[in-house]
Amino acid sequence: MSYSSPLQNKNILIGVCGSIAIYKICDLIRKLKNEGANIKVILTTGAENFINPLLFASLSGNKAYTDADFFEADGKILHIELAKYPDVILIAPATASFISKLAVGSASELLLATLLATKVPVYIFPSMNTSMWEHPATKENIEKLRNFGYLIYEPTEGSLACGEVGKGKLPEIEEILEIVKAHFVEKTLVGKKVLITGGPTREYIDEVRFITNASSGKTAFFLAKEAYYRGAEVHLVWGLESFPYILPNLDCFSPIPFPKIYFVKTTREMFEISKALFSQCSICIFAGAPSDFRPKTPFKGKLKKKEPLTIELELTEDIAKILSSYKIEGQITIGFALEEENNLLNYGKKKKKEKAFDYLIANPLKTMGKDKSDFIIFTPKKTLEFKNISKPQLAKILFDLLGS
Ligand SMILES: Cc1cc2nc3c(=O)[nH]c(=O)nc-3n(C[C@H](O)[C@H](O)[C@H](O)COP(=O)(O)O)c2cc1C
């Protein structure tokens, strides 16, 4: 089974306006194309002052349209054709000037006429100087566009090309890419609350040293992202110190709340927070790698070097087992088993039964920190084996199974 991006074969029309941020769109086009999307670009007259259409034509592999094409006498009504072409339209960067013209319903340019003629969702990414963004005229125009149903992604704060620091920056291209991907993910989990544990925990030997493991949290992150893009309210109990991933804010388009990330250190903390959330969540995925042992009596301060040194360990809370035993009717629990490769099938089967999981995903030790691995998914009815699949693909497969 190969992983197909949600952007595979999607037609995307990008309208670009005359802002310095226009250069970033070249990278966006490449990234969208790499995900399998088909791209067409319309440049405003303002945009043509910044970039020659040839660059967009070369990157997209399609003609890049300008206002010179609007009134061509070639028997086609170009703005109607372009309005029907895409599955989604992105206006990025959107200038204050363009926004004002769209807000009054003008169709005096090719991009404006195309937007008036289209029925597909339109995402608008404004980019401008902070004072221009904060001007009452821009604010009123943005509000009008929101009321018309345009999907406005507010600019971010940062240092702007004009030298000022403030709100008005085009979001990072990775973020725009993620918004477009999320757009095409079927919203199968709207109204559901999903609990996911992720990453390792640490158990302190003294105040500066601890026992931990090599879990990267990647599997949990991709599960959280897939659940979020499918419309779920996600609660991620996270054992790493930082969260080095980009997740776009989708709540300006829909009532999907941004995933709540709870940073924890020890297994006890991961347990306590997961326990408090457990009864509210209909899907609970234990993808975390809590330390199974902890020093029975952690030393105060910093332990001095000495030999021999014996540290007595005790077992930590078995989060997945304890919480799975609290399961009520309709709740689904999903466990993970990291085991030695040659015993994956047997250990997986045993663990699923022992801990009363509805689903269990068994993966070999080599999975830790890797982007791809082999996985065995034990569902309530069958056992499915997957070789060398990516973690995003695993997340998609799992939620597809839950949805069927
Ligand atoms: C160097 C330069 C940078 C500009 N950057 C922006 C910008 O980031 N955002 C914006 O709204 N307007 C910006 N403008 C003003 C627009 O280019 C101008 O309003 C233009 O008419 C917009 O045309 P369009 O809406 O057809 O793209 C800039 C102008 C110049 C000369």
Side-chain angles (χ1 to χ4, degrees):
M1 195 186 288
S2 69
Y3 171 69
S4 86
S5 162
L7 298 182
Q8 196 72 38
N9 297 323
K10 294 292 186 287
N11 294 337
I12 300 175
L13 178 69
I14 306 180
V16 291
C17 305
S19 150
I20 295 173
I22 195 171
Y23 75 93
K24 296 184 179 176
I25 305 309
C26 301
D27 193 24
L28 177 66
I29 294 171
R30 287 182 62 106
K31 292 203 158 94
L32 291 167
K33 293 254 313 172
N34 284 344
E35 298 273 342
N38 308 311
I39 309 293
K40 287 190 180 178
V41 178
I42 302 178
L43 289 88
T44 61
T45 309
E48 277 189 88
N49 289 323
F50 286 81
I51 290 194
N52 190 303
L54 178 64
L55 182 56
F56 289 120
S58 310
L59 290 171
S60 67
N62 280 311
K63 179 177 168 61
Y65 300 90
T66 66
D67 276 327
D69 302 305
F70 194 13
F71 296 105
E72 270 290 300
D74 59 359
K76 289 188 217 148
I77 306 176
L78 185 59
H79 61 288
I80 304 296
E81 277 191 17
L82 288 171
K84 287 182 182 160
Y85 162 77
D87 295 297
V88 70
I89 297 179
L90 315 177
I91 307 296
T95 55
S97 169
F98 185 79
I99 287 166
S100 73
K101 287 183 259 182
L102 190 58
V104 293
S106 168
S108 61
E109 302 166 17
L110 178 60
L111 183 56
L112 288 166
T114 305
L115 289 186
L116 248 58
T118 197
K119 295 267 186 279
V120 305
V122 179
Y123 287 76
I124 295 185
F125 297 89
S127 166
M128 63 196 71
N129 164 275
T130 310
S131 304
M132 290 167 81
W133 172 250
E134 287 172 351
H135 194 284
T138 308
K139 278 192 181 161
E140 196 176 293
N141 290 332
I142 288 286
E143 212 34 54
K144 269 194 192 169
L145 295 188
R146 274 207 183 96
N147 293 336
F148 290 156
Y150 290 107
L151 304 164
I152 312 287
Y153 200 86
E154 294 218 358
T156 55
E157 285 192 31
S159 69
L160 306 169
C162 55
E164 290 178 19
V165 177
K167 197 164 175 179
K169 217 173 139 71
L170 192 74
E172 293 304 319
I173 290 312
E174 282 298 338
E175 197 171 334
I176 300 182
L177 182 71
E178 287 302 319
I179 291 159
V180 188
K181 279 193 196 171
H183 174 84
F184 287 109
V185 174
E186 212 189 321
K187 302 288 173 276
T188 55
L189 295 177
V190 174
K192 299 246 190 236
K193 288 189 187 179
V194 178
L195 166 67
I196 301 170
T197 64
T201 58
R202 31 170 90 174
E203 297 302 338
Y204 285 85
I205 296 168
D206 60 17
E207 286 178 28
V208 289
R209 303 182 180 96
F210 49 81
I211 300 170
T212 189
N213 60 63
S215 166
S216 65
K218 277 185 193 167
T219 304
F221 164 69
F222 286 113
L223 288 164
K225 179 163 125 169
E226 183 71 21
Y228 175 45
Y229 287 7
R230 287 180 184 232
E233 178 183 315
V234 175
H235 297 268
L236 179 60
V237 186
W238 189 245
L240 290 158
E241 285 213 299
S242 62
F243 188 74
Y245 300 105
I246 291 179
L247 278 177
N249 216 325
L250 304 180
D251 68 351
C252 35
F253 315 130
S254 63
I256 306 173
F258 193 78
K260 208 147 182 242
I261 302 167
Y262 307 81
F263 288 91
V264 295
K265 283 200 166 71
T266 63
T267 301
R268 190 170 284 136
E269 283 169 23
M270 186 177 267
F271 173 66
E272 292 299 341
I273 293 187
S274 304
K275 188 173 145 198
L277 292 163
F278 184 78
S279 64
Q280 311 161 31
C281 297
S282 55
I283 300 172
C284 301
I285 309 178
F286 302 103
S291 170
D292 291 331
F293 319 100
R294 73 176 145 240
K296 206 166 177 180
T297 323
F299 291 86
K300 292 260 179 283
K302 187 178 170 214
L303 183 62
K304 292 275 171 274
K305 273 189 194 173
K306 61 172 179 176
E307 247 183 349
L309 175 65
T310 308
I311 298 171
E312 199 183 341
L313 300 177
E314 63 179 12
L315 286 177
T316 55
E317 297 77 5
D318 188 331
I319 303 174
K321 187 175 179 181
I322 301 171
L323 295 187
S324 212
S325 74
Y326 298 162
K327 190 169 49 176
I328 53 159
E329 180 79 26
Q331 225 175 356
I332 296 172
T333 58
I334 301 161
F336 274 78
L338 184 75
E339 301 289 356
E340 274 154 39
E341 195 151 5
N342 50 358
N343 257 324
L344 214 49
L345 203 61
N346 290 337
Y347 276 132
K349 226 182 256 171
K350 198 166 146 239
K351 202 162 177 178
K352 177 172 181 284
K353 202 167 163 209
E354 234 174 60
K355 302 200 180 185
F357 293 134
D358 298 291
Y359 290 74
L360 182 124
I361 298 155
N363 49 165
L365 303 185
K366 65 177 183 198
T367 311
M368 281 223 168
K370 296 281 177 343
D371 291 327
K372 287 185 166 186
S373 187
D374 303 335
F375 295 95
I376 304 177
I377 304 182
F378 299 85
T379 79
K381 291 192 187 127
K382 50 192 175 185
T383 302
L384 304 164
E385 288 196 43
F386 301 91
K387 289 271 173 225
N388 200 32
I389 60 167
S390 68
K391 291 176 178 178
Q393 190 179 4
L394 172 73
K396 185 176 181 307
I397 293 169
L398 181 65
F399 284 110
D400 280 348
L401 285 168
L402 292 178
S404 61

